[in-house]
Amino acid sequence: MAGHNKWSKIKRQKAKEDKKKSKIWARLSREIATAAREGGGDPDMNATLAQAIERAEAENMAKDTIERAIKRGTGELEGQDYEPASYEGYAPHGVAVFIEAMTDNTNRTVADLRHLFKKYDGNLGKDGSVGYLFEQKGQFEIPVAATDELELFELVVEAGAQDLKTEGDVFVVTSSVDAFSNVENALDGAGIETESADLVRIPTTTIALDESQTETVRSLIEDIEDHDDIDAVYSTLEVNGEALALDSDE
Protein backbone atom coordinates (compact mmCIF):
# COMPACT_ATOMS: atom_id res chain seq x y z
CA MET A 1 0.00 0.00 0.00
CA ALA A 2 2.85 2.36 0.81
CA GLY A 3 4.26 1.77 -2.66
CA HIS A 4 0.85 2.45 -4.19
CA ASN A 5 0.52 5.73 -2.27
CA LYS A 6 3.98 6.81 -3.37
CA TRP A 7 3.16 6.04 -7.01
CA SER A 8 -0.13 7.95 -6.71
CA LYS A 9 1.74 10.99 -5.42
CA ILE A 10 4.24 10.73 -8.27
CA LYS A 11 1.42 10.54 -10.82
CA ARG A 12 -0.36 13.55 -9.30
CA GLN A 13 2.86 15.56 -9.29
CA LYS A 14 3.58 14.60 -12.90
CA ALA A 15 0.05 15.56 -13.92
CA LYS A 16 0.48 18.92 -12.19
CA GLU A 17 3.81 19.51 -13.93
CA ASP A 18 2.38 18.49 -17.31
CA LYS A 19 -0.52 20.90 -16.86
CA LYS A 20 1.90 23.67 -15.92
CA LYS A 21 4.08 23.02 -18.99
CA SER A 22 1.02 22.85 -21.24
CA LYS A 23 -0.19 26.20 -19.93
CA ILE A 24 3.23 27.78 -20.43
CA TRP A 25 3.44 26.53 -24.01
CA ALA A 26 -0.10 27.69 -24.76
CA ARG A 27 0.72 31.16 -23.47
CA LEU A 28 3.95 31.31 -25.46
CA SER A 29 2.16 30.14 -28.63
CA ARG A 30 -0.32 32.98 -28.19
CA GLU A 31 2.50 35.47 -27.64
CA ILE A 32 4.31 34.29 -30.77
CA ALA A 33 1.17 34.40 -32.91
CA THR A 34 0.24 37.87 -31.66
CA ALA A 35 3.76 39.22 -32.21
CA ALA A 36 3.83 37.76 -35.73
CA ARG A 37 0.42 39.23 -36.55
CA GLU A 38 1.38 42.70 -35.34
CA GLY A 39 4.98 42.89 -36.59
CA GLY A 40 5.45 40.20 -39.23
CA GLY A 41 6.84 36.69 -39.17
CA ASP A 42 10.56 37.48 -39.52
CA PRO A 43 12.20 37.57 -36.08
CA ASP A 44 15.16 39.49 -37.53
CA MET A 45 12.77 42.34 -38.31
CA ASN A 46 10.45 41.89 -35.33
CA ALA A 47 12.14 42.20 -31.92
CA THR A 48 8.97 41.28 -30.01
CA LEU A 49 8.67 38.06 -32.00
CA ALA A 50 12.36 37.28 -31.50
CA GLN A 51 11.98 37.64 -27.72
CA ALA A 52 8.87 35.43 -27.68
CA ILE A 53 10.68 32.74 -29.68
CA GLU A 54 13.65 32.94 -27.31
CA ARG A 55 11.36 32.39 -24.32
CA ALA A 56 9.66 29.47 -26.09
CA GLU A 57 13.00 27.83 -26.86
CA ALA A 58 14.03 28.26 -23.23
CA GLU A 59 10.91 26.26 -22.30
CA ASN A 60 11.90 23.52 -24.77
CA MET A 61 9.02 24.21 -27.15
CA ALA A 62 9.44 22.22 -30.36
CA LYS A 63 10.63 24.12 -33.43
CA ASP A 64 7.63 23.04 -35.53
CA THR A 65 5.26 24.24 -32.81
CA ILE A 66 6.93 27.64 -32.88
CA GLU A 67 6.71 27.73 -36.68
CA ARG A 68 2.99 26.90 -36.60
CA ALA A 69 2.38 29.71 -34.10
CA ILE A 70 4.20 32.15 -36.39
CA LYS A 71 2.16 31.01 -39.39
CA ARG A 72 -1.09 31.37 -37.45
CA GLY A 73 -0.07 34.91 -36.65
CA THR A 74 0.79 35.81 -40.23
CA GLY A 75 -2.35 34.15 -41.57
CA GLU A 76 -0.60 31.30 -43.40
CA LEU A 77 -2.47 28.87 -41.14
CA GLU A 78 -6.00 29.20 -39.84
CA GLY A 79 -6.26 29.67 -36.12
CA GLN A 80 -7.87 31.59 -33.33
CA ASP A 81 -7.11 35.29 -33.04
CA TYR A 82 -5.93 36.11 -29.53
CA GLU A 83 -5.91 39.65 -28.22
CA PRO A 84 -4.20 41.00 -25.11
CA ALA A 85 -6.59 42.17 -22.40
CA SER A 86 -6.39 43.36 -18.81
CA TYR A 87 -8.92 43.13 -16.01
CA GLU A 88 -9.11 44.76 -12.59
CA GLY A 89 -10.95 44.07 -9.40
CA TYR A 90 -10.95 43.65 -5.66
CA ALA A 91 -10.46 40.41 -3.80
CA PRO A 92 -12.00 40.18 -0.33
CA HIS A 93 -10.54 42.35 2.45
CA GLY A 94 -9.73 45.21 0.08
CA VAL A 95 -6.91 43.53 -1.85
CA ALA A 96 -6.54 44.99 -5.35
CA VAL A 97 -5.99 42.55 -8.23
CA PHE A 98 -4.68 43.35 -11.72
CA ILE A 99 -4.93 40.61 -14.37
CA GLU A 100 -3.18 40.29 -17.73
CA ALA A 101 -4.74 37.92 -20.25
CA MET A 102 -4.63 36.79 -23.86
CA THR A 103 -8.06 35.79 -25.08
CA ASP A 104 -9.98 34.90 -28.23
CA ASN A 105 -13.32 35.50 -26.51
CA THR A 106 -13.54 38.45 -24.14
CA ASN A 107 -17.15 37.70 -23.20
CA ARG A 108 -16.17 34.24 -21.97
CA THR A 109 -13.13 35.51 -20.09
CA VAL A 110 -15.08 38.30 -18.37
CA ALA A 111 -17.87 35.90 -17.37
CA ASP A 112 -15.40 33.39 -15.96
CA LEU A 113 -13.52 36.03 -13.99
CA ARG A 114 -16.71 37.57 -12.64
CA HIS A 115 -17.77 34.12 -11.41
CA LEU A 116 -14.42 33.57 -9.66
CA PHE A 117 -14.48 36.96 -7.93
CA LYS A 118 -18.08 36.39 -6.80
CA LYS A 119 -17.16 32.91 -5.49
CA TYR A 120 -14.73 34.50 -3.03
CA ASP A 121 -16.86 37.59 -2.23
CA GLY A 122 -14.73 39.84 -4.40
CA ASN A 123 -15.69 42.12 -7.27
CA LEU A 124 -14.52 42.39 -10.87
CA GLY A 125 -14.23 46.13 -11.46
CA LYS A 126 -14.04 48.55 -14.36
CA ASP A 127 -10.90 49.52 -16.24
CA GLY A 128 -8.91 51.90 -14.07
CA SER A 129 -10.50 50.82 -10.81
CA VAL A 130 -7.21 49.52 -9.38
CA GLY A 131 -4.68 50.01 -12.17
CA TYR A 132 -3.38 53.20 -10.59
CA LEU A 133 -2.14 51.11 -7.64
CA PHE A 134 0.43 49.32 -9.86
CA GLU A 135 3.51 50.56 -11.70
CA GLN A 136 4.70 48.75 -14.81
CA LYS A 137 8.39 47.92 -14.63
CA GLY A 138 10.98 45.82 -16.40
CA GLN A 139 12.23 42.93 -14.29
CA PHE A 140 15.14 40.57 -14.86
CA GLU A 141 16.13 37.53 -12.82
CA ILE A 142 19.76 36.42 -13.07
CA PRO A 143 21.24 33.38 -11.26
CA VAL A 144 23.58 34.47 -8.47
CA ALA A 145 26.14 31.95 -9.74
CA ALA A 146 26.18 33.57 -13.18
CA THR A 147 27.97 36.83 -12.32
CA ASP A 148 29.57 39.04 -9.70
CA GLU A 149 27.08 41.30 -7.93
CA LEU A 150 29.19 44.46 -8.12
CA GLU A 151 29.96 43.96 -11.81
CA LEU A 152 26.28 43.29 -12.50
CA PHE A 153 25.26 46.38 -10.56
CA GLU A 154 27.62 48.64 -12.52
CA LEU A 155 26.49 47.12 -15.83
CA VAL A 156 22.74 47.46 -15.31
CA VAL A 157 22.84 50.86 -13.63
CA GLU A 158 24.80 52.25 -16.56
CA ALA A 159 22.12 50.80 -18.84
CA GLY A 160 19.36 52.57 -16.88
CA ALA A 161 18.25 50.05 -14.25
CA GLN A 162 16.65 51.42 -11.10
CA ASP A 163 17.31 48.67 -8.58
CA LEU A 164 19.17 45.41 -7.95
CA LYS A 165 18.50 43.07 -5.04
CA THR A 166 19.19 39.46 -4.12
CA GLU A 167 16.26 37.09 -3.63
CA GLY A 168 17.38 33.57 -2.78
CA ASP A 169 19.58 32.30 -5.58
CA VAL A 170 18.80 35.06 -8.08
CA PHE A 171 19.59 38.72 -8.58
CA VAL A 172 16.47 40.74 -9.38
CA VAL A 173 17.04 43.81 -11.55
CA THR A 174 14.26 46.38 -11.93
CA SER A 175 14.06 49.06 -14.63
CA SER A 176 11.60 51.49 -16.10
CA VAL A 177 9.69 50.30 -19.17
CA ASP A 178 11.68 52.71 -21.34
CA ALA A 179 15.00 51.29 -20.13
CA PHE A 180 13.94 47.63 -20.47
CA SER A 181 15.52 47.10 -23.89
CA ASN A 182 18.74 48.90 -22.89
CA VAL A 183 19.18 46.69 -19.82
CA GLU A 184 18.34 43.55 -21.80
CA ASN A 185 20.87 44.47 -24.49
CA ALA A 186 23.53 45.21 -21.87
CA LEU A 187 23.04 41.80 -20.27
CA ASP A 188 23.12 40.08 -23.67
CA GLY A 189 26.25 42.00 -24.65
CA ALA A 190 27.99 40.92 -21.47
CA GLY A 191 27.01 37.29 -22.04
CA ILE A 192 24.89 37.16 -18.89
CA GLU A 193 21.94 34.79 -19.25
CA THR A 194 18.69 35.63 -17.49
CA GLU A 195 16.19 33.22 -15.98
CA SER A 196 13.45 35.66 -16.91
CA ALA A 197 13.09 39.08 -18.52
CA ASP A 198 9.58 40.51 -18.45
CA LEU A 199 7.46 43.59 -18.00
CA VAL A 200 5.66 43.26 -14.67
CA ARG A 201 3.34 45.34 -12.50
CA ILE A 202 4.57 46.24 -9.05
CA PRO A 203 2.08 47.51 -6.45
CA THR A 204 2.75 50.93 -4.93
CA THR A 205 1.13 49.80 -1.69
CA THR A 206 0.42 46.43 -0.06
CA ILE A 207 -2.04 45.03 2.48
CA ALA A 208 -1.07 42.57 5.23
CA LEU A 209 -3.86 40.27 6.40
CA ASP A 210 -4.17 37.56 9.02
CA GLU A 211 -3.50 33.94 8.05
CA SER A 212 -7.11 32.99 7.34
CA GLN A 213 -7.79 36.09 5.25
CA THR A 214 -4.52 35.64 3.35
CA GLU A 215 -5.41 32.06 2.42
CA THR A 216 -8.80 33.15 1.08
CA VAL A 217 -7.23 35.81 -1.14
CA ARG A 218 -4.47 33.43 -2.26
CA SER A 219 -7.09 30.86 -3.25
CA LEU A 220 -8.86 33.41 -5.45
CA ILE A 221 -5.62 34.53 -7.07
CA GLU A 222 -4.51 30.95 -7.73
CA ASP A 223 -7.91 30.06 -9.25
CA ILE A 224 -7.65 33.07 -11.56
CA GLU A 225 -4.11 32.15 -12.54
CA ASP A 226 -5.26 28.60 -13.40
CA HIS A 227 -7.63 29.95 -16.08
CA ASP A 228 -6.27 29.16 -19.55
CA ASP A 229 -6.64 32.77 -20.79
CA ILE A 230 -4.65 34.30 -17.93
CA ASP A 231 -0.98 35.23 -18.32
CA ALA A 232 -0.27 36.98 -15.02
CA VAL A 233 -2.01 38.08 -11.82
CA TYR A 234 -0.72 40.92 -9.64
CA SER A 235 -2.09 41.94 -6.27
CA THR A 236 -1.54 44.22 -3.32
CA LEU A 237 -1.59 41.24 -0.94
CA GLU A 238 1.53 41.18 1.22
CA VAL A 239 2.96 37.73 2.00
CA ASN A 240 6.15 37.48 4.03
CA GLY A 241 6.91 41.13 3.40
CA GLU A 242 6.48 40.91 -0.38
CA ALA A 243 3.54 41.51 -2.70
CA LEU A 244 2.01 38.31 -4.05
CA ALA A 245 2.14 38.00 -7.83
CA LEU A 246 1.54 34.90 -9.93
CA ASP A 247 2.36 34.29 -13.55
CA SER A 248 1.99 31.30 -15.78
CA ASP A 249 5.61 30.29 -15.42
CA GLU A 250 5.12 29.50 -11.75
Side-chain angles (χ1 to χ4, degrees):
M1 182 64 73
H4 173 76
N5 288 341
K6 181 178 180 181
W7 175 240
S8 296
K9 290 179 181 178
I10 291 172
K11 288 195 294 184
R12 286 197 299 271
Q13 182 63 30
K14 185 178 185 301
K16 183 177 180 180
E17 291 175 356
D18 288 346
K19 180 181 178 181
K20 172 183 173 182
K21 183 175 288 293
S22 176
K23 183 175 173 62
I24 292 171
W25 284 359
R27 175 179 65 84
L28 289 168
S29 291
R30 295 195 300 266
E31 285 186 8
I32 291 169
T34 300
R37 184 176 71 247
E38 295 179 351
D42 184 356
D44 292 333
M45 303 296 291
N46 184 343
T48 301
L49 176 60
Q51 291 169 2
I53 292 173
E54 184 177 335
R55 287 193 290 271
E57 291 174 340
E59 293 292 342
N60 298 315
M61 184 182 286
K63 185 176 180 180
D64 61 343
T65 304
I66 294 173
E67 289 296 326
R68 285 197 300 271
I70 294 172
K71 289 180 179 179
R72 284 198 301 272
T74 58
E76 296 175 68
L77 288 177
E78 290 187 3
Q80 296 164 303
D81 289 332
Y82 290 94
E83 298 290 343
S86 62
Y87 304 95
E88 306 173 34
Y90 276 99
H93 313 299
V95 174
V97 180
F98 191 99
I99 303 162
E100 293 178 349
M102 191 75 73
T103 179
D104 63 333
N105 186 328
T106 55
N107 290 335
R108 178 197 65 223
T109 306
V110 168
D112 290 349
L113 289 176
R114 184 172 288 115
H115 169 74
L116 288 174
F117 273 94
K118 185 177 180 180
K119 174 182 175 182
Y120 289 95
D121 294 325
N123 292 285
L124 182 64
K126 297 180 180 179
D127 289 348
S129 58
V130 305
Y132 67 95
L133 295 172
F134 298 84
E135 290 183 332
Q136 192 171 33
K137 298 283 187 180
Q139 190 173 84
F140 305 82
E141 293 188 356
I142 300 118
V144 168
T147 185
D148 175 76
E149 183 175 9
L150 180 58
E151 292 179 3
L152 177 63
F153 177 80
E154 293 175 347
L155 176 73
V156 297
V157 167
E158 185 175 346
Q162 298 172 327
D163 187 39
L164 184 153
K165 60 183 178 181
T166 304
E167 293 185 0
D169 59 355
V170 296
F171 295 122
V172 179
V173 176
T174 305
S175 76
S176 66
V177 174
D178 291 341
F180 180 82
S181 293
N182 288 342
V183 175
E184 187 171 45
N185 291 336
L187 292 168
D188 288 343
I192 299 173
E193 293 189 5
T194 61
E195 286 191 0
S196 66
D198 296 293
L199 294 177
V200 301
R201 295 182 185 273
I202 298 175
T204 57
T205 183
T206 57
I207 298 175
L209 303 175
D210 65 33
E211 184 176 351
S212 175
Q213 293 171 333
T214 295
E215 284 306 308
T216 300
V217 176
R218 283 180 66 109
S219 294
L220 167 59
I221 293 172
E222 289 171 358
D223 279 0
I224 294 172
E225 200 273 336
D226 280 342
H227 192 288
D228 288 341
D229 294 342
I230 305 308
D231 284 345
V233 186
Y234 304 99
S235 78
T236 57
L237 175 64
E238 183 178 313
V239 178
N240 298 326
E242 296 287 342
L244 177 66
L246 294 177
D247 63 45
S248 55
D249 291 341
E250 291 186 352

